[in-house]
Amino acid sequence: MPDDAAAARAAAEEESAFSHPPVDPDVTSAYGSHPDQVIDFYAPRTAADSPAPLVVVLHGGAWRARYDRRHITPFADYLARRGFAVANVEYRRGGDLLIPEQNRGDGGDAAPPAGRWPDTFDDIAAALDALPVLAREALPQADLRRTVVTGHSAGGHLALWAAARHLLPPDSGWRTDSPASLRGVVALAPIADFEVAEKLDVCGNASLQLLGGYDTFGERRPYADPVLLLPTGIATTLVQGRTDLVVPQAVAESYADAAAKAGEVVGLTLLEDVGHFPLIDPAADACAVVAEEIAQLAW
């Protein structure tokens, strides 16, 4: 258990990250018929004449419905003010379908389960597949040849997964024939290894719930867990706070170690005295570090 000082600092970091008012997008486009199947686009706020790299943002929130894309819009706007074109993706999350209590691994917590199988993955695949056409229409100034995917927490998991679809089992409907056309992935405190995440009880057994509970966790992991989908062949950097109490650094380190064993070098930037939420907080120094990591891959 964290001590009182660590818990107080984590709470203050979360309060700061959520204190910014939502920023409305320039354009919203649908990639499906469900209300959550939309992408918000932000044009770069700089006056540069040259095309801008496109950053695809996947929000976190433990894949649970109570956290939607609005909480990460200040971060999307921050990136736009740094000269990036930004696509902030919404997707279906947990809350409608209940997992039997004895199977969901949450100790009887009445909160809605995390994620929707297979809807959450259906949406990320569909959004990334539709993105080139939608972005050309919404952001003509975006350079799609310089696309970077970033995501925070559960969104970091989805970013890593989106870059690894060509490694999915052959019977997966989400599998692609070739790697995604990405400059890279910057995963922020990602839930990148479900086995380690479950040992650490990350977000109240969220990864277990995402895969449907104990009965289906093992059989679905090869289709969903980024640590089992390596090497991707796509430049990848993880950014992680050392004092993160939500997704501890051991999760990111496990993914980086697995990548190395698979013959792939994954960058791992560990930030001292930084917890979970400063990575997406425009008021925090850590957010500037994130933007620089994205820039190194995109520009």
Side-chain angles (χ1 to χ4, degrees), residues 30-259:
Y31 63 87
S33 59
H34 191 278
D36 286 336
Q37 293 174 322
V38 294
I39 303 175
D40 288 341
F41 290 99
Y42 295 79
R45 309 304 189 206
T46 57
D49 294 329
S50 58
L54 177 65
V55 181
V56 182
V57 175
L58 301 173
H59 73 82
W63 309 285
R64 292 188 171 108
R66 64 178 176 264
Y67 300 101
D68 65 16
R69 71 192 186 282
R70 295 289 285 173
H71 81 269
I72 209 168
T73 60
F75 174 71
D77 177 67
Y78 176 85
L79 294 176
R81 288 187 281 109
R82 299 285 291 246
F84 297 104
V86 181
N88 185 18
V89 178
E90 189 58 280
Y91 53 91
R92 284 173 288 180
R93 301 157 326 279
D96 296 341
L97 306 176
L98 293 180
I99 299 170
E101 181 177 322
Q102 69 272 17
N103 190 34
R104 69 182 184 236
D106 61 6
D109 188 350
R116 291 172 57 167
W117 181 278
D119 305 34
T120 299
F121 296 92
D122 284 345
D123 286 359
I124 297 303
L128 270 292
D129 290 346
L131 186 66
V133 171
L134 297 179
R136 287 190 188 98
E137 296 173 351
L139 295 177
Q141 62 272 70
D143 184 353
L144 302 184
R145 298 169 300 177
R146 292 184 290 163
T147 298
V148 173
V149 176
T150 189
H152 178 239
S153 195
H157 155 264
L158 294 172
L160 295 170
W161 180 85
R165 289 170 58 198
H166 59 293
L167 300 176
L168 288 168
D171 63 342
S172 172
W174 303 312
R175 181 183 170 101
T176 56
D177 294 333
S178 58
S181 297
L182 300 174
R183 277 288 181 88
V185 176
V186 179
L188 314 176
I191 305 178
D193 182 329
F194 286 178
E195 184 175 38
V196 173
E198 284 307 301
K199 288 179 181 178
L200 297 175
D201 190 24
V202 168
C203 298
N205 299 110
S207 55
L208 175 68
Q209 294 170 28
L210 174 68
L211 301 192
Y214 292 113
D215 292 347
T216 52
F217 183 75
E219 68 185 66
R220 289 177 176 174
R221 266 193 77 201
Y223 299 85
D225 194 343
V227 79
L228 302 181
L229 301 170
L230 290 163
T232 67
I234 295 173
T236 300
T237 296
L238 313 182
V239 183
Q240 175 74 46
R242 286 191 179 273
T243 58
D244 193 330
L245 302 180
V246 179
V247 184
Q249 76 177 61
V251 181
E253 288 176 333
S254 179
Y255 179 87
D257 290 345

